[in-house]
Amino acid sequence: MAKHGKNYMNSLSKIEKGKQYSVSEAVKLVKENATAKFDESIEVSFNLNVDPRHADQQIRGAMVLPNGTGRSQKVLVVTQGAKEEEAKNAGADYVGGKEILEDIKKGWFDFDVIVATPDMMGELGKLGKILGPKGLMPNPKTGTVTMNVANAVNEIKKGKIEYRVDKEGNINCLIGKKSFTDEALVENYKALYGAIAKARPAAVKGNYILNIVLSSTMGPGVKVLAD
């Protein structure tokens, strides 16, 4: 078992074992326990009663959080022709066609998100084994395969997040930074919670959201009461 430092153990002592807190209480506790010298990220983890092996239970989507994420993301737009200018004007960090895909093949990954126009997906598909494991492959479900590249870039820059259930039924998402107000974090949490609750598959019987934990980068997790 990994040994935790004094600060972590001190933070842990403030959390009542097994208790589920309201989201406002949880946010307050997590921020109090974010004692690192940098602006810690605040994340939420949902454990869902789903079986991702079934196509109808693969929860996946994207949304713009009301207060953003506090993290700036570098956007690469893979397109050609007139759409290149549109992407540049929208504030994309990198824009290119086949030539930029050659750079990725050689190991270039100085970006966080790829937006692509549909006509480039054939070429991008050839990089599936490189981009897939890193979670970088564009997908129509998350709005990253689109002809409206300006809107896609704007949303990502405003604080768009993607959520996707893993094979254990978990969804982990960034909802802000320690420097955010409690109200901003609660609002972001509620927006994400609403989107995940709305995505409940018809096949799920009984409880859908089994467990919710809020945590900071370096601090212990705090259980949140599901609505």
Side-chain angles (χ1 to χ4, degrees), residues 50-218:
V50 296
D51 185 350
R53 291 175 298 177
H54 300 288
D56 64 335
Q57 296 184 48
Q58 290 172 4
I59 313 296
R60 183 174 190 177
M63 63 184 295
V64 178
L65 291 175
N67 303 293
T69 62
R71 186 179 83 185
S72 62
Q73 299 212 87
K74 287 185 181 178
V75 183
L76 161 63
V77 177
V78 180
T79 189
Q80 56 190 356
K83 289 291 170 182
E84 291 193 28
E85 199 62 30
E86 183 185 326
K88 287 173 187 172
N89 292 339
D93 298 276
Y94 305 104
V95 182
K98 289 183 184 179
E99 74 288 348
I100 216 160
L101 300 185
E102 288 299 320
D103 293 336
I104 295 172
K105 278 184 195 174
K106 293 171 187 171
W108 173 71
F109 289 102
D110 187 30
F111 52 87
D112 302 297
V113 184
I114 301 177
V115 172
T117 44
D119 57 324
M120 297 303 294
M121 285 308 293
E123 292 299 322
L124 264 166
K126 296 173 186 176
L127 302 184
K129 287 183 179 176
I130 300 172
L131 298 173
K134 293 179 180 289
L136 289 169
M137 183 60 78
N139 189 294
K141 287 183 181 177
T142 58
T144 47
V145 178
T146 177
M147 286 302 287
N148 193 346
V149 294
N151 183 62
V153 171
N154 285 331
E155 285 190 339
I156 292 163
K157 292 292 186 180
K158 281 179 186 172
K160 185 177 187 177
I161 58 164
E162 293 185 16
Y163 53 89
R164 184 179 187 178
V165 71
D166 65 19
K167 59 184 179 183
E168 274 85 41
N170 300 311
I171 289 177
N172 304 303
C173 282
L174 171 72
I175 59 164
K177 296 279 189 176
K178 179 192 172 181
S179 56
F180 280 28
T181 64
D182 290 12
E183 292 76 17
L185 287 167
V186 168
E187 194 178 0
N188 278 357
Y189 167 89
K190 287 184 174 178
L192 177 60
Y193 180 97
I196 290 171
K198 194 175 178 183
R200 177 183 178 130
V204 171
K205 303 292 184 246
N207 287 344
Y208 165 50
I209 298 176
L210 301 176
N211 200 23
I212 308 169
V213 175
L214 202 66
S215 62
S216 64
T217 307
M218 305 295 287

